[in-house]
Amino acid sequence: MPQSFEAIRNIYCVGRNYALHAKELGNEAPKEPILFGKPTHALHPAAGKLHLPGSIGEIHYEIEVVVRIAKSYQPGMPLDELIDGIALGIDWTARDVQTKLKDKAQPWLLAKGFIGSAVLTEFRPFAGSASFQQLQFALIKNGDIVQKGSPKDMLFALQQLVDYILARDWGSVRVM
């Protein structure tokens, strides 16, 4: 595992944050962020071979922009103070498993948390919020662009997502 991955403790993901993708899947655009997590064993470097489980169902992929939070969050902190790295990732999903889980109103862990389901490039320095908005990225499969995007297309802005996720009082959660 690359050294930049070793310090990762939590992986927060946002579902349906692109209106076009939500529409492709027949879902409505959410009114607030839909959060899910991935276990750290899901991390896999973008180099080398990836072995996806062949027994769990229909595997789909989505390219994602990934940020690394480098400091303890304080309400109102701007992104330029919080984020130190940016990467691209592929979110692998067992879509048929996810559909069954959604039908039962259950968490998506079995569909999105399998080993190797979070492929990441190496992190690069975060050039700031303004540069982030200008990013353009694409996923190329066998020479064809199969997905492209930009933070400009996100339903919820990065600052809004960071505040929504990190402003929660996680310390007061009770374990039962």
Side-chain angles (χ1 to χ4, degrees):
M1 191 71 63
Q3 188 175 12
S4 64
F5 290 8
E6 289 174 8
I8 296 174
R9 295 185 331 216
N10 297 301
I11 303 169
Y12 298 104
C13 306
V14 182
R16 298 186 199 156
N17 197 30
Y18 292 89
L20 181 59
H21 184 61
K23 186 177 178 180
E24 287 171 349
L25 294 175
N27 298 314
E28 289 186 29
K31 305 241 184 294
E32 63 181 37
I34 297 173
L35 302 181
F36 64 95
K38 287 196 180 235
T40 55
H41 74 236
L43 288 172
H44 190 282
K49 281 191 175 181
L50 174 65
H51 300 281
L52 295 174
S55 62
I56 66 168
E58 182 184 343
I59 305 290
H60 287 204
Y61 53 82
E62 299 168 57
I63 191 168
E64 305 289 352
V65 63
V66 179
V67 296
R68 183 175 57 208
I69 306 296
K71 291 184 177 178
S72 294
Y73 176 82
Q74 297 296 321
M77 279 181 97
L79 298 175
D80 295 352
E81 288 181 31
L82 282 169
I83 298 172
D84 77 339
I86 186 167
L88 290 177
I90 297 178
D91 171 22
W92 295 97
T93 304
R95 190 68 73 201
D96 50 344
V97 173
Q98 183 187 33
T99 299
K100 290 175 188 172
L101 292 169
K102 288 191 317 189
D103 288 345
K104 296 176 187 177
Q106 293 181 345
W108 300 349
L109 181 64
L110 295 177
K112 290 187 163 282
F114 53 87
I115 293 172
S117 65
V119 175
L120 281 182
T121 64
E122 285 288 329
F123 283 93
R124 295 182 177 177
F126 183 70
S129 299
S131 292
F132 179 79
Q133 280 301 110
Q134 302 309 311
L135 281 177
Q136 304 247 346
F137 51 88
L139 180 60
I140 300 170
K141 178 182 174 186
N142 299 327
D144 295 323
I145 296 175
V146 294
Q147 186 184 356
K148 59 183 179 176
S150 170
K152 287 188 244 180
D153 301 327
M154 292 172 29
L155 293 172
F156 305 102
L158 184 58
Q159 183 72 57
Q160 183 181 4
L161 292 171
V162 167
D163 291 340
Y164 185 84
I165 294 166
L166 298 180
R168 306 273 177 214
D169 185 5
W170 299 111
S172 66
V173 174
R174 290 188 331 179
V175 177
M176 301 172 79

